[in-house]
Amino acid sequence: GDEFAAILPRTDREGVQALTRRLCRRFEGTGVKVSIGLASLRPGHSTADSMHAEADAALYEAKRRGGDQVVHYEEIRETIAVTTADKKAAVRRMLDERGLEVHFQPIWNLTTCHLLGVEALARPHEGYGLAGPQEAFDVAEQIGRTHELDELCASAAFGQADRLPQGAALF
C-alpha cells in the first residue's frame, strides 16, 4: 500500500516507459504488485496540484485494472475526471460567497405558442474557474456539500423570480 512519487525532468515518454519497465522487472517473481500512474507536464495546463491529481488518478486506474500495470493519464483523460485542491477550494468559495448566476429558459407550448413557464438554470460565476454546473456538482459531491449547492441553486432561482413574466411557472 505504499505510494511514491518521482519527478523526471527532461525525460521524454520513451525514457519514462523504459524506466517503468525496468522497475516492474525488478519486482517480478516477488509477489509484489507494482502499479504506476504517470502524468506529463502540459504547457498552460499543468500545476503541481493538477499533475499530482492526474498521476494519482492514473495510479488508481492501474490498481483498478488489477495491478502490475502502468497507466498514463493521457490514456484515461476522457473517462476520468480529476478534481484538484484548487477546484475543491473554488466550490467551497462559491458556496460561501453564494456565487451563482441564474438564467431563465422559456418553456413554450409549440401548438398554442403560449409561454408555459421558465426553467431556472444556475451557473457558477466565471471567476471560480469551474467548467459549468456539472463540474460544480461533481466537486460538491466529492466534498460532501451537494445539498448546500442544491439549496443555493433553489434560493438563487426563487430570489430572482420577480424577473419572470407575470403568471409564468418556475420549473
Side-chain angles (χ1 to χ4, degrees), residues 57-96:
L59 170 65
Y60 282 96
E61 177 62 15
K63 289 180 178 184
R64 190 194 67 74
R65 292 178 184 178
D68 282 336
Q69 302 269 330
V70 177
V71 174
H72 196 287
Y73 181 72
E74 291 300 320
E75 298 170 37
I76 60 172
R77 173 182 301 286
E78 299 298 319
T79 59
I80 303 224
V82 170
T83 303
T84 64
D86 290 341
K87 296 284 184 177
K88 291 176 183 177
V91 169
R92 286 184 188 100
R93 228 177 42 256
M94 180 193 67
L95 290 169
D96 293 343

Side-chain angles (χ1 to χ4, degrees), residues 140-154:
E141 182 176 5
Q142 291 176 21
I143 63 174
R145 295 185 70 180
T146 307
H147 66 284
E148 291 175 64
L149 185 51
D150 280 335
E151 289 172 7
L152 178 58
C153 289

Side-chain angles (χ1 to χ4, degrees), residues 106-123:
I107 301 172
W108 295 94
N109 178 328
L110 296 179
T111 304
T112 64
C113 295
H114 287 98
L115 179 66
L116 298 174
V118 295
E119 178 182 14
L121 305 173
R123 304 280 186 258

